[in-house]
Amino acid sequence: MARLLLIHKPANILIVHILSVYKPTEKDGEAQKGNDKNAGRFIGTLERIIMVIFIALEQYSAVGLVLTAKSIARYERITKEQDFAEYYLLGTLLSTIVAICVSVLI
C-alpha cells in the first residue's frame, strides 16, 4: 500500500518540479487543446501503478509494453515537435525511474 501512495502525489510533485525547467512553450491554439494538465498527471500515476504491479509480479517485459502503448498514443506529436518529444521522454523516464525505485526500495 505504501508503494501506491508514494507513486501518486509525491511522485507527481517530484516529476513536475524537475520537468518545470524543460516544459516546452505552448503555441497558439495548442493551449486550448492541452488545457487539462491533471489528465497527464493521472496518466503518469496509472502508468507507475501498472509498472509497480508488473515489477512485483516479475513481469519486466510487460513494463516495456506500458511504455510502448504510451508512446504510440503520442506518436504524431512526438515526431512533429522536438521540444515536446524531449519533454515527453524526460517525463516518461523519470516516471519509470520512480516506479522502479519504489518497487525495489519498498
Side-chain angles (χ1 to χ4, degrees):
M1 186 59 142
R3 289 178 186 175
L4 296 179
L5 292 175
L6 278 174
I7 62 172
H8 177 50
K9 196 64 172 177
N12 281 342
I13 292 169
L14 174 70
I15 292 168
V16 166
H17 179 67
I18 292 171
L19 289 180
S20 65
V21 177
Y22 302 101
K23 186 168 184 161
T25 56
E26 301 282 337
K27 295 178 184 171
D28 293 339
E30 284 185 27
Q32 300 296 329
K33 291 189 282 183
N35 197 347
D36 188 10
K37 295 177 184 172
N38 290 329
R41 292 178 186 162
F42 187 62
I43 290 168
T45 297
L46 290 175
E47 165 191 331
R48 288 186 297 277
I49 288 171
I50 293 169
M51 282 193 266
V52 166
I53 290 169
F54 284 146
I55 292 169
L57 296 172
E58 298 181 3
Q59 297 297 316
Y60 307 114
S61 59
V63 172
L65 292 175
V66 173
L67 299 174
T68 301
K70 185 178 173 190
S71 295
I72 290 171
R74 291 290 196 158
Y75 178 76
E76 185 175 333
R77 188 166 177 197
I78 290 170
T79 58
K80 292 181 180 178
E81 300 175 35
Q82 182 178 352
D83 289 345
F84 175 77
E86 292 171 355
Y87 179 76
Y88 174 85
L89 181 60
L90 282 171
T92 300
L93 292 175
L94 284 170
S95 190
T96 303
I97 288 169
V98 168
I100 291 170
C101 288
V102 167
S103 294
V104 170
L105 299 175
I106 296 177

